[in-house]
Each structure stands twice: as structure tokens, then as C-alpha cells.
Amino acid sequence: MPEIPQWASEALSGVYDPCCREKGISVVEMGLVRSVEVSGGRARVELLLTSGWCPFAARVLTEVRERIEEQPGVERAEVEVVWDEVWTTERLSPRAARMLRFLPPPAQVPDKAAYIGRELR
């Protein structure tokens, strides 16, 4: 995973996928920011989406662009969703992984009733 410049991580730490805003998990912690590069005052940001059907994608892209364009040395930012890499839970920060719970693939749960009973406690 490419390193995201510290200034970009800080700038985007207040941008949230609406599904994670109430938990305080930013797009950076979600692992949605794949790369940020700046050359000649122009920034290029690559984002992954958790789902290609995300109804809030346009809103997130706009907010990321605005936050990057507010940074010193950046005159213009281009934000692009990339499709050559799939977002997975491995991209979550340790904090985000602790806060979010994901079910394992069904094939990995031989006794589904027992699994659900343990998780609901």
C-alpha cells in the first residue's frame, strides 16, 4: 500500500464516508485513500470505495477534493475512484477494525446458529 503524505492524512482525517461518520472513522482510517501525489500545484488523489454501489460516492469525492485544495501548495485537486484494486477489510486501520465488526464468509462458519449465539452475547 503506498504511503499517504502526512499532510494529506491530516487533511482527510475529518472526511467521513457517511456510513462511518457516527463512529468517527475517517476515509483515511477506512483505507479508502490509495494515494495522494502533488506536482506543480496539482494534486491527484486515488480513492477506493467499499462498494461500487455507494450512494454517497460523489459527496465523498467532493469533500476530499475540497480538503486537499485547502492545503498549502495545492492549487487544484483531481480525485478519482480507481477500480483496479478492490477494497478489503485489511485496509482498515487497527482502530477502525476494532470498532467495526465484519462477519466471516459463510463457508467458514460450519455452525451458523452457534456462531450467531456467541456473537449476540
Side-chain angles (χ1 to χ4, degrees), residues 16-26 30 100:
Y16 302 94
D17 179 308
C19 298
C20 292
R21 181 179 301 276
E22 68 184 33
K23 292 187 183 295
I25 301 172
S26 73
M30 284 292 296
L100 298 172

Side-chain angles (χ1 to χ4, degrees), residues 89-101:
T89 56
E90 287 81 34
R91 293 187 63 88
L92 292 168
S93 73
R95 176 182 171 273
R98 284 190 308 273
M99 294 179 73
L100 298 172
R101 292 176 47 171

Side-chain angles (χ1 to χ4, degrees), residues 39-111:
S39 177
R42 298 182 74 136
R44 182 169 189 278
V45 181
E46 293 181 329
L47 294 180
L48 301 170
L49 298 178
T50 56
S51 164
W53 297 102
C54 176
F56 305 110
R59 179 177 172 189
V60 171
L61 270 64
T62 298
E63 194 169 348
V64 166
R65 181 184 49 77
E66 290 171 351
R67 291 288 176 97
I68 294 295
E69 287 179 343
E70 292 171 353
Q71 303 310 302
V74 177
E75 297 167 16
R76 183 172 168 183
E78 173 187 315
V79 181
E80 178 184 352
V81 174
V82 293
W83 301 103
D84 62 344
E85 180 180 354
V86 176
W87 180 89
T88 65
T89 56
E90 287 81 34
R91 293 187 63 88
L92 292 168
S93 73
R95 176 182 171 273
R98 284 190 308 273
M99 294 179 73
L100 298 172
R101 292 176 47 171
F102 291 91
L103 296 175
Q108 292 180 0
V109 183
D111 186 347

